[in-house]
């Protein structure tokens, strides 16, 4: 869903990692005038509906999220690496590449 919806929202996803209790997402609009906030809201809404469909009850996401502007290529690389290594730091896998719920679907132009 995360990757399919990026097409509709016209956003690129440079790194993501779905953890048991949170999501890391490095994204940006492909087209001027598109809104990353709307993309995140859509992901949260659709995933909540899907979770409810499969029996989850109650809140799935916190009402807010933390966002930041990445101001340099160096910071961009560091942040993407941080996201991809999150399951290793959490002790879920020995190597980040083996964690099923992480990836780098888009690259910088």
């Amino acid at each position: 869903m995360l990757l399919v919806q990026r097409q509709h929202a016209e956003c690129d996803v440079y790194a993501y990692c779905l953890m048991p209790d949170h999501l890391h997402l490095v994204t940006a609009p492909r087209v001027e005038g598109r809104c990353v906030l709307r993309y995140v809201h859509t992901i949260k809404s659709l995933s909540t509906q899907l979770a409810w469909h499969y029996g989850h009850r109650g809140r799935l996401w916190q009402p807010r999220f933390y966002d930041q502007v990445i101001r340099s290529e160096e910071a961009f690389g560091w942040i993407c690496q941080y996201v991809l290594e999150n399951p290793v730091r959490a002790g879920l896998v020995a190597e980040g590449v083996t964690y099923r719920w992480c990836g780098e679907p888009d690259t910088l132009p």
Side-chain angles (χ1 to χ4, degrees), residues 14-62:
Y14 300 112
Y16 71 93
C17 186
L18 180 60
M19 298 292 287
D21 61 350
H22 65 280
L23 170 69
H24 288 277
L25 181 64
V26 179
T27 186
R30 268 187 219 136
V31 178
E32 191 171 326
R34 290 296 182 190
C35 183
V36 169
L37 301 176
R38 183 172 291 148
Y39 172 54
V40 171
H41 173 75
T42 300
I43 293 302
K44 289 170 70 172
S45 177
L46 292 175
S47 60
T48 298
Q49 292 172 27
L50 190 60
W52 288 350
H53 174 78
Y54 285 103
H56 177 78
R57 295 293 171 248
R59 185 180 298 263
L60 186 64
W61 298 98
Q62 293 179 346

Side-chain angles (χ1 to χ4, degrees), residues 3-4 6 9 11-12 18 21 27 37 40 43-44 48 53-54 63 65 73 76-77 84 86 96-97 99 102-103:
L3 301 179
V4 170
R6 84 185 198 276
C11 288
D12 286 324
L18 180 60
D21 61 350
T27 186
L37 301 176
V40 171
I43 293 302
K44 289 170 70 172
T48 298
H53 174 78
Y54 285 103
F65 63 92
E73 279 189 46
F76 175 81
L84 296 172
N86 205 258
V97 294
Y99 190 68
C102 274

Side-chain angles (χ1 to χ4, degrees), residues 14-15 25-28 66-81 83 108:
Y14 300 112
L25 181 64
V26 179
T27 186
Y66 175 75
D67 65 332
Q68 80 181 55
V69 175
I70 300 173
R71 301 195 184 277
S72 71
E73 279 189 46
E74 182 181 28
F76 175 81
W78 182 87
I79 291 168
C80 288
Q81 195 62 37
V83 166
L108 285 174

